[in-house]
Amino acid sequence: MSYSEIKPISDVLRKCSSPCNFLVFGLTHETLLWKALNHNGRTVFIDENRYYAAYFEELHPEVDVFDVQYTTKMGEFRELIASTRDQIHNECKPVQNLLFSECKLGINDLPNHVYEVDWDVILIDGPRGDGPEGPGRMTPIFTSGVLARSKKGGNGKTHIFVHDYYRDVEKVYGDEFLCRENLVEANDMLAHFVVEKMDENSYQFCSNTNIKISFFFFIILIVFVLKAHSSSGYQMVQVKGHGIPDSLIKEVKNVSHRFFDLPYEEKLKIKMNAAAGYRGYQRIGENITKGIPDMHEAIDCYREMKPGLYGELGKPMEGHNQWPLNPPNFKTLMEEYAALCTELSRKILRGIALALGGSADELEGEIAGDAFWVLRIIGYPGVSSARGQDLAENDIGCGAHTDYGLLTLVNQDDDITALQVRNLSGEWISAPPIPGTFVCNIGDMLKIWSNGLYDSTLHQVINSSPKYRVCIAYFHEPNFDAAVEPSDICVKRTGGIRKSGKAVYGEHLVNKVQTNFV
Ligand SMILES: O=C(O)CCC(=O)C(=O)O
Ligand SMILES: [Fe+2]
């Protein structure tokens, strides 16, 4: 660790009233330093390497080290968050004695007294391994979050430091279990959280201030969409204040540029094919809109589904996403991005349901409670490079269409205006990029469900700039097997006449991928 990383930890230890209880995950170069900085207090180290822990204790009998066996794998960090959320009222409660817990992320095999101490400061600088097979720091972060909230007496606050905060697991788990609202200071290397104890019946790690802010934002969004619809505006909004980190929004575009810059042979290594459930790379011109090849290349990704889950309906879409191997964090970055877009879209849909006079979860359950998603990573060549030298100025990057699902979140390059939206007077209006915001399109499924109260957004893409343009489009879809039809609340609001019949989402998607892509 550098001086600037050690300093905030040492400052907190210095101010910690003696005797200070300091718990450290990871035996590192700094182990003896931590012990020395907390000379009047109790310092305990936890490490996954049993042999090294024993060796270290032998060399330094004054240092308390306990070994722990982590059973998690870094590659499953996202699934583990989902299963922990499911168990938040049971095994994975924020306040509990982990000694008796079966929560996969909780360490339950340390000596009993470790669970009885009220820890004042916790540092997470281990385990080391950061490949997909490594254990990751999911368990230490979750465990620290629980220890801090379950304190019995003394100081109700715990300082928790997470090292290597630039990495996905550290960031995502820090945000989930230590919470942004508790973040006192952070830079790429180190995050400092101050977490307070909670009462026994708490079932939330974070207070979800995002959601509260979002509700204000939804009201504005919904009023705007409805107003736009009733005047001659357009059915497109730009979403701001959404809580998805700017750095992630930028990084997914950066890595996509790097992929599209590769020679064709390289990109074709992940070529789309039926065995992968139509996932993978499509060359320029392979995507077709209304019979005309689009001037773009793309990687198509779909939410992966358990084989057999949707029977014959789902079979053609079963398969694994094909991610580029370079840069190595491409997959985790995109998966993390899709997970955050899913969360954001659900919030927007809750706002829309409320605005339409229903309950917030009107679009959950059988409609979109287990929403399918599509992620298209799209590259549009600039005018002079798409098809040799003679490309017409207005060659179509993506022909006029409406998106099929519920909502789309478009994350486009900041310096090129290429997306156009048609307003109700039939004019094409540019949707210029606004850094940090998403263009949010309404899809056909929302049009059906709202019985036309929300119209789907007709849009097209023309990149007439000389620069290559990248867009990451996240499509939030209904449940794969949802039969979407006009909802009773919207039918009532629109005079009692159903404007469309039922559409089974998965049927449409299968039909599209099997006929559209060559
Ligand atoms: O590139 C864009 O801005 C939008 C892409 C799009 O409309 C689509 O993929 O459906
Ligand atoms: Fe679209």
Side-chain angles (χ1 to χ4, degrees):
M1 268 192 202
S2 67
Y3 172 75
S4 61
E5 291 151 43
I6 292 170
K7 172 100 175 25
I9 304 171
S10 119
D11 284 349
V12 164
L13 287 171
R14 203 150 20 88
K15 284 190 210 133
C16 179
S17 59
S18 156
C20 182
N21 294 316
F22 184 21
L23 180 65
V24 183
F25 290 89
L27 285 175
T28 62
H29 293 305
E30 289 82 24
T31 298
L32 295 177
L33 175 68
W34 301 137
K35 172 83 185 156
L37 283 171
N38 190 29
H39 50 93
N40 285 326
R42 175 205 312 234
T43 309
V44 166
F45 296 87
I46 295 175
D47 198 273
E48 76 283 11
N49 186 333
R50 192 168 359 147
Y51 303 104
Y52 187 56
Y55 168 76
F56 201 94
E57 264 197 315
E58 214 176 292
L59 270 187
H60 304 282
E62 74 285 9
V63 177
D64 279 338
V65 186
F66 301 115
D67 70 279
V68 65
Q69 299 311 307
Y70 294 117
T71 55
T72 53
K73 281 206 178 79
M74 183 109 131
E76 55 184 21
F77 83 93
R78 222 157 296 88
E79 292 87 324
L80 276 170
I81 285 221
S83 60
T84 307
R85 281 183 191 155
D86 286 347
Q87 287 294 315
I88 207 102
H89 287 265
N90 307 307
E91 295 299 341
C92 303
K93 286 194 291 201
V95 180
Q96 58 169 313
N97 187 345
L98 283 173
L99 190 56
F100 307 109
S101 171
E102 291 297 317
C103 182
K104 183 114 199 268
L105 288 177
I107 303 177
N108 63 5
D109 54 357
L110 294 169
N112 292 11
H113 67 88
V114 174
Y115 300 97
E116 279 148 26
V117 174
D118 282 334
W119 297 103
D120 298 298
V121 185
I122 302 180
L123 167 64
I124 298 157
D125 196 13
R128 267 171 298 268
D130 53 2
E133 293 300 312
R137 293 183 184 164
M138 296 85 85
T139 310
I141 294 175
F142 174 84
T143 299
S144 305
V146 172
L147 289 172
R149 286 167 176 100
S150 312
K151 272 178 154 176
K152 295 278 175 310
N155 183 352
K157 290 188 164 94
T158 310
H159 292 265
I160 304 181
F161 291 93
V162 180
H163 195 229
D164 302 310
Y165 190 58
Y166 66 94
R167 302 198 299 210
D168 290 335
V169 166
E170 282 73 359
K171 240 204 176 87
V172 172
Y173 275 65
D175 288 355
E176 181 80 18
F177 299 115
L178 306 177
C179 312
R180 292 241 186 120
E181 72 256 26
N182 298 327
L183 196 57
V184 187
E185 217 181 332
N187 55 44
D188 271 359
M189 292 311 291
L190 189 73
H192 176 187
F193 298 87
V194 176
V195 178
E196 297 220 26
K197 72 174 178 192
M198 281 180 166
D199 81 75
E200 234 187 309
N201 301 317
S202 308
Y203 296 104
Q204 251 186 329
F205 279 85
C206 306
S207 66
N208 269 337
T209 37
N210 277 351
I211 289 188
K212 281 183 212 139
I213 294 165
S214 301
F215 270 120
F216 287 111
F217 149 72
F218 291 146
I219 309 286
I220 296 164
L221 166 86
I222 285 135
V223 171
F224 179 40
V225 173
L226 289 177
K227 251 179 94 177
H229 178 72
S230 59
S231 63
S232 62
Y234 19 90
Q235 300 73 251
M236 176 211 69
V237 280
Q238 288 183 296
V239 182
K240 224 183 138 163
H242 40 67
I244 300 186
D246 260 12
S247 54
L248 183 61
I249 292 183
K250 284 204 182 94
E251 190 55 12
V252 291
K253 289 183 285 199
N254 286 345
V255 296
S256 304
H257 270 287
R258 278 166 63 186
F259 172 79
F260 289 125
D261 275 350
L262 295 170
Y264 257 137
E265 312 83 79
E266 207 44 49
K267 296 188 267 197
L268 287 172
K269 287 185 179 159
I270 57 162
K271 188 172 165 42
M272 175 190 289
N273 62 73
Y278 299 90
R279 293 164 171 83
Y281 171 73
Q282 277 186 307
R283 298 173 73 131
I284 291 177
E286 281 183 336
N287 194 76
I288 297 193
T289 304
K290 304 216 173 87
I292 300 170
D294 290 320
M295 283 299 102
H296 71 241
E297 52 188 335
I299 306 176
D300 283 5
C301 316
Y302 299 97
R303 185 180 162 183
E304 292 182 6
M305 48 172 86
K306 265 204 197 107
L309 183 63
Y310 299 110
E312 286 305 305
L313 175 67
K315 215 174 215 154
M317 298 307 299
E318 288 174 4
H320 293 292
N321 283 316
Q322 302 199 70
W323 302 105
L325 290 177
N326 268 310
N329 66 339
F330 199 106
K331 173 178 188 285
T332 34
L333 210 58
M334 291 298 172
E335 287 180 340
E336 162 64 357
Y337 181 73
L340 291 177
C341 287
T342 303
E343 229 172 87
L344 173 60
S345 305
R346 282 181 81 168
K347 288 182 194 167
I348 296 177
L349 290 178
R350 290 173 78 82
I352 288 178
L354 282 175
L356 288 173
S359 64
D361 55 7
E362 211 74 48
L363 279 146
E364 299 272 332
E366 291 186 354
I367 309 285
D370 188 25
F372 191 71
W373 55 255
V374 180
L375 190 73
R376 297 202 77 217
I377 300 158
I378 316 170
Y380 302 87
V383 274
S384 59
S385 59
R387 272 196 302 185
Q389 303 304 319
D390 58 346
L391 182 72
E393 272 256 319
N394 62 349
D395 230 320
I396 302 281
C398 188
H401 67 283
T402 53
D403 295 339
Y404 188 73
L406 292 164
L407 302 171
T408 309
L409 298 175
V410 176
N411 170 9
Q412 46 177 334
D413 266 345
D414 285 341
D415 53 350
I416 301 168
T417 298
L419 175 60
Q420 300 177 349
V421 177
R422 200 157 72 178
N423 70 11
L424 297 179
S425 324
E427 298 151 333
W428 286 104
I429 312 283
S430 287
I434 302 176
T437 67
F438 296 104
V439 169
C440 176
N441 290 328
I442 304 295
D444 296 339
M445 289 286 153
L446 190 52
K447 177 179 179 175
I448 296 178
W449 185 85
S450 68
N451 208 27
L453 276 170
Y454 284 66
D455 204 352
S456 43
T457 317
L458 187 64
H459 56 285
Q460 64 181 13
V461 181
I462 300 173
N463 181 15
S464 36
S465 123
K467 278 195 182 162
Y468 193 96
R469 172 181 183 266
V470 153
C471 159
I472 319 295
Y474 166 87
F475 301 88
H476 192 77
E477 313 287 272
N479 296 352
F480 189 79
D481 57 353
V484 180
E485 60 184 331
S487 61
D488 290 342
I489 48 166
C490 295
V491 171
K492 220 188 222 165
R493 285 188 59 157
T494 46
I497 297 170
R498 286 174 190 272
K499 297 190 180 148
S500 39
K502 261 189 196 172
V504 176
Y505 170 73
E507 275 175 16
H508 166 82
L509 182 69
V510 168
N511 181 39
K512 184 167 179 287
V513 296
Q514 289 184 334
T515 55
N516 193 15
F517 305 139
V518 285

